[in-house]
């Protein structure tokens, strides 16, 4: 119910997206009496476009908690209170609860440490060895978790030996490669903003447009026109492919198949023989994709393994672009 009070369902979805982008399998555990009416949680999560098949009723998920690395609780108390199993004489005694206490690590985003609606103290709050309490507004607590996830991602990038800050600030030739993921995230305005900032630092910025990027001919052109990107900065593949080898920085936004080097040698795959953008020839590459899954053709992309010059920013493309903009 605390998620409902804080209207934090969109932050919940955003956190889940970030965890998934890091390779986690994320599920939502729905207790039948969570909230103030049947289906209350389902409705709120639907507002945030959480897929219905990720919502699990208690009986279908309770056995999973013992094998779960992380449980994030948002404003729930009675429905996961272990006291329901043994606190005889209390209003919740005998009530089936979610087996949250069996998980390896638990983060609880609750407003305070007061008992839930039933007035029964929750032993979870005393399990210091595996429970982290984030008290106060649920939105702010979730934002803390996301900032921490970003910090870890930054540290991993530094460990790879790639100095992204320096690359962004010293690039003289840059190419932006938009794809269908930019359309899904409606991130064209952030793309234009990033390009403007690079140009303000003296970089020559071009946009590489693959003929089948997106879901229709001209899809990328239309979106970039919405963001007032000058038409003369858009280059068709044949007119820009030779430039990649002399390019300091390529920023990919939601493109995969159209720049997958496997198209050159992965015989028998749907993209074999398809002309692709020579992104892999650039000196440094930043890929802003939702996850590491193969593109529409289902062919793994070797770029994701080029750790010596590729920086992966996974999750929502707008968020990833905002990170780059903040660095500049």
């Amino acid at each position: 119910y605390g998620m409902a009070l804080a209207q934090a369902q969109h932050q919940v979805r955003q956190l889940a997206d970030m965890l998934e982008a890091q390779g986690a399998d994320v599920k939502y555990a729905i207790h039948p009496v969570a909230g103030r009416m049947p289906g209350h949680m389902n409705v709120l999560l639907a507002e945030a476009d959480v897929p219905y098949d990720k919502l699990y009723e208690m009986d279908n998920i309770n056995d999973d908690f013992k094998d779960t690395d992380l449980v994030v609780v948002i404003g729930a108390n009675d429905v996961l209170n272990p006291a329901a199993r043994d606190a005889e004489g209390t209003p919740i005694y005998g009530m089936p609860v979610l087996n949250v206490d069996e998980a390896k690590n638990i983060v609880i985003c609750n407003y305070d440490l007061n008992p839930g609606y039933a007035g029964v103290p929750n032993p979870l709050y005393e399990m210091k060895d595996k429970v982290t309490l984030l008290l106060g507004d649920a939105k702010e607590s979730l934002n803390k978790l996301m900032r921490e996830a970003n910090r870890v991602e930054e540290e991993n990038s530094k460990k790879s030996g790639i100095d992204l800050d320096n690359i962004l600030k010293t690039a003289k030739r840059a190419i932006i490669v938009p794809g269908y993921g930019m359309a899904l995230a409606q991130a064209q305005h952030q793309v234009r903003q990033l390009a403007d900032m690079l140009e303000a630092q003296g970089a020559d910025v071009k946009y590489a447009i693959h003929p089948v990027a997106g879901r229709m001919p001209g899809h990328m052109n239309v979106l970039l026109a919405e963001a007032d990107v000058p038409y003369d900065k858009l280059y068709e593949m044949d007119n820009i492919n030779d430039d990649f080898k002399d390019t300091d920085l390529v920023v990919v936004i939601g493109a995969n198949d159209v720049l997958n080097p496997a198209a050159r040698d992965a015989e028998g795959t749907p993209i074999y023989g398809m002309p692709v953008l020579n992104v892999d020839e650039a000196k440094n590459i930043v890929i802003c994709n939702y996850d590491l899954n193969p593109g529409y053709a289902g062919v793994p992309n070797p770029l994701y393994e080029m750790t010596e010059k590729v920086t992966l920013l996974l999750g929502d493309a707008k968020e990833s672009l905002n990170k780059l903009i903040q660095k500049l």
Side-chain angles (χ1 to χ4, degrees):
Y1 186 56
M3 184 183 77
L5 288 176
Q7 284 292 290
Q9 57 268 33
H10 296 282
Q11 284 75 13
V12 167
R13 168 65 192 271
Q14 191 177 352
L15 176 64
D17 286 349
M18 292 179 73
L19 288 168
E20 288 181 326
Q22 294 177 171
D25 174 39
V26 180
K27 298 176 180 177
Y28 297 75
I30 309 297
H31 193 283
V33 299
R36 289 296 178 266
M37 66 193 80
H40 194 176
M41 298 300 101
N42 301 54
V43 170
L44 293 176
L45 294 170
E47 284 181 9
D49 293 325
V50 173
Y52 184 74
D53 61 5
K54 290 186 182 294
L55 309 185
Y56 290 77
E57 296 295 331
M58 180 175 61
D59 291 342
N60 295 327
I61 200 169
N62 247 359
D63 289 340
D64 293 1
F65 282 103
K66 65 182 182 298
D67 300 315
T68 297
D69 302 306
L70 173 65
V71 171
V72 182
V73 177
I74 306 101
N77 194 319
D78 291 333
V79 298
L80 47 82
N81 190 340
R85 304 188 192 118
D86 48 37
E88 296 186 26
T90 65
I92 61 172
Y93 178 62
M95 180 181 85
V97 292
L98 293 164
N99 295 337
V100 167
D101 58 312
E102 296 180 358
K104 298 171 188 174
N105 297 283
I106 306 161
V107 175
I108 298 178
C109 306
N110 274 0
Y111 187 74
D112 53 34
L113 294 179
N114 292 338
Y117 187 72
V120 183
N122 193 326
L124 273 173
Y125 300 162
E126 307 302 322
M127 296 182 184
K128 309 292 187 188
D129 56 323
K130 64 177 180 178
V131 173
T132 300
L133 296 167
L134 296 179
L135 305 182
D137 181 77
K139 280 186 180 178
E140 187 53 39
S141 294
L142 289 162
N143 284 334
K144 283 181 189 174
L145 289 178
M146 287 186 275
R147 286 196 294 269
E148 178 64 14
N150 282 333
R151 184 187 66 77
V152 171
E153 185 178 52
E154 292 285 334
E155 287 182 355
N156 289 339
S157 176
K158 288 175 184 173
K159 287 176 186 174
S160 71
I162 297 174
D163 187 353
L164 184 56
D165 288 6
N166 185 56
I167 291 166
L168 286 168
K169 291 171 183 175
T170 60
K172 295 304 178 188
R173 295 183 177 182
I175 296 177
I176 293 173
V177 179
Y180 185 55
M182 183 184 78
L184 287 177
Q186 284 290 291
Q188 58 267 32
H189 297 282
Q190 283 76 12
V191 167
R192 167 64 191 272
Q193 188 179 352
L194 177 65
D196 287 350
M197 295 181 77
L198 288 168
E199 288 180 327
Q201 293 181 169
D204 173 41
V205 180
K206 298 176 180 177
Y207 296 76
I209 310 298
H210 193 282
V212 299
R215 289 295 179 267
M216 66 192 81
H219 194 176
M220 298 299 100
N221 302 54
V222 170
L223 292 176
L224 293 170
E226 284 180 9
D228 293 325
V229 173
Y231 184 73
D232 61 4
K233 290 186 181 295
L234 308 186
Y235 289 77
E236 295 296 329
M237 180 175 60
D238 292 341
N239 296 327
I240 200 170
N241 246 0
D242 289 339
D243 293 1
F244 282 103
K245 65 183 182 296
D246 300 315
T247 298
D248 302 308
L249 173 66
V250 171
V251 182
V252 176
I253 306 99
N256 194 319
D257 291 333
V258 299
L259 47 82
N260 190 341
R264 304 186 193 120
D265 48 40
E267 296 186 26
T269 66
I271 61 172
Y272 178 62
M274 180 181 85
V276 292
L277 293 164
N278 295 336
V279 167
D280 58 312
E281 296 180 358
K283 298 171 186 174
N284 296 284
I285 306 160
V286 176
I287 298 178
C288 305
N289 273 1
Y290 185 75
D291 52 35
L292 294 179
N293 292 337
Y296 187 72
V299 183
N301 194 325
L303 271 174
Y304 298 161
E305 307 301 323
M306 296 182 184
T307 53
E308 74 283 355
K309 65 176 179 178
V310 173
T311 300
L312 297 167
L313 296 178
L314 305 181
D316 181 78
K318 279 186 182 177
E319 281 300 311
S320 295
L321 287 163
N322 282 333
K323 286 181 195 174
L324 296 176
I325 289 166
Q326 286 161 15
K327 285 179 179 295
L328 287 168

